Amino acid sequence: MKIKLDETSSQEHTQAARQALSQNPHAVREPKENNLEMAIGHEVRAYRKKLGITVTDLAAATGISLGMLSKIENGNISPSLTTLQSLSRALGVPLTAFFRRYEEPHNAVFVKAGQGIELERRGTRAGHQYNLLGHIDNNSSGVVVEPYLITLTTDSDVFPTFQHEGMELIYMLEGEVVYRHGDQLFPMQPGDSLFFDADAPHGPEELVKLPSRYLSIISYPQRGKND
C-alpha cells in the first residue's frame, strides 16, 4: 500500500523540509585551509561556541585579553604555542585540534562511465549487480556515503530483504520495480525517488519491467578506529 499525501500535507511537508534544510549549498566558504592563522581562529571559535561560552568567559579561563582572543578568532594574529596550549586546556581539546582544518585533505573520486567497482553484496547471488561509484574514507563530514548503481535483470529471480543502519535514497533510472519499505509498496518508474530509514526491511518486491537500473545512495555515521 502506498500512502499518497494530499495537497495540504504536501505543502506542510515542503515547508518543513525548507525549514530543516537551512544550509545554503551555494555559499562559498572562505579559504581557511590555505591560511594557518584563519584555520586556527575558525577552530577556536567553533570549539568555544560548542561549549556555549562567550569570548569574555574564555578570556577569564585562559588569562588571554579580549583583544588578543578577538584577533586569534578572526585570524589576524599567529598565536604562540603557549597561547594555544592555554586555549586547548580551557576548551578541553588537544592542541592538534586547532590545526585540523588546515591539514585535513578534501578528496574527490571520479569514476568514468562503466568503470565503477563491481562488488559482492547480499543480493548479488540473486542476480543483483552492484557497482560502487565512489568512496572516501576518513572524510571531514563524519558521515560515510556509499553510492551504488544497481542493475536488475531477468536473472534477478529472488528478492532479498535488506536492513542496515543509516538513510538510503533510491533514484530510478531505467525499467520499473515495485519497491518495499516496511509494510509499504512503492511502484517506481524512471525519475521516481524514494528516501527512507534503512533500518526498516526494504528491497525490490516485484520486477515489472527489465532491465531495471537505479541509484542507491546509503549514508551512515562514520565509525572511529576504536569503535
Side-chain angles (χ1 to χ4, degrees):
M1 177 181 67
K2 181 178 179 180
I3 298 177
K4 294 184 178 180
L5 298 176
D6 58 31
E7 185 175 353
T8 302
S9 299
S10 179
Q11 291 175 350
E12 292 176 350
H13 180 76
T14 301
Q15 184 177 2
R18 286 174 177 169
Q19 292 175 347
L21 302 175
S22 58
Q23 178 173 264
N24 180 3
H26 303 293
V28 179
R29 292 184 177 179
E30 297 177 10
K32 293 180 174 67
E33 294 84 352
N34 298 325
N35 184 297
L36 180 57
E37 289 78 13
M38 294 183 72
I40 292 173
H42 177 275
E43 295 304 320
V44 170
R45 183 188 296 110
Y47 285 120
R48 173 177 63 77
K49 289 184 175 181
K50 187 175 182 180
L51 290 177
I53 62 177
T54 65
V55 178
T56 303
D57 295 330
L58 187 57
T62 60
I64 302 171
S65 69
L66 285 172
M68 177 68 75
L69 278 176
S70 178
K71 290 180 180 179
I72 291 173
E73 289 197 357
N74 289 319
N76 296 327
I77 192 172
S78 181
S80 66
L81 286 176
T82 301
T83 298
L84 289 177
Q85 189 173 44
S86 297
L87 288 169
S88 71
R89 289 172 178 169
L91 296 171
V93 298
L95 191 65
T96 54
F98 298 131
F99 303 97
R100 180 184 64 84
R101 188 173 173 86
Y102 180 74
E103 294 179 337
E104 68 185 12
H106 294 80
N107 299 319
V109 176
F110 175 67
V111 178
K112 291 286 289 183
Q115 294 184 5
I117 302 173
E118 190 166 342
L119 297 180
E120 285 280 336
R121 294 199 67 201
R122 184 184 173 200
T124 302
R125 295 176 190 172
H128 298 202
Q129 180 182 341
Y130 293 83
N131 285 94
L132 182 64
L133 302 181
H135 183 69
I136 297 177
D137 262 335
N138 300 319
N139 63 78
S140 60
S141 69
V143 177
V144 176
V145 179
E146 298 180 3
Y148 295 98
L149 174 62
I150 299 178
T151 303
L152 307 178
T153 66
T154 52
D155 295 328
S156 309
D157 55 354
V158 179
F159 310 142
T161 299
F162 304 93
Q163 193 170 4
H164 51 85
E165 65 175 334
M167 306 295 293
E168 184 168 354
L169 171 69
I170 298 293
Y171 183 82
M172 203 70 193
L173 298 172
E174 180 184 0
E176 296 180 28
V177 302
V178 176
Y179 202 90
R180 173 178 292 279
H181 179 259
D183 59 356
Q184 299 183 72
L185 296 177
F186 299 88
M188 298 191 67
Q189 299 176 344
D192 292 345
S193 63
L194 181 63
F195 184 53
F196 53 86
D197 184 345
D199 190 50
H202 58 274
E205 179 84 3
E206 180 184 353
L207 306 184
V208 179
K209 184 178 180 181
L210 297 173
S212 292
R213 291 192 309 145
Y214 57 87
L215 290 175
S216 168
I217 302 175
I218 303 170
S219 62
Y220 52 90
Q222 184 170 287
R223 300 295 188 188
K225 293 182 178 179
N226 296 325
D227 288 352

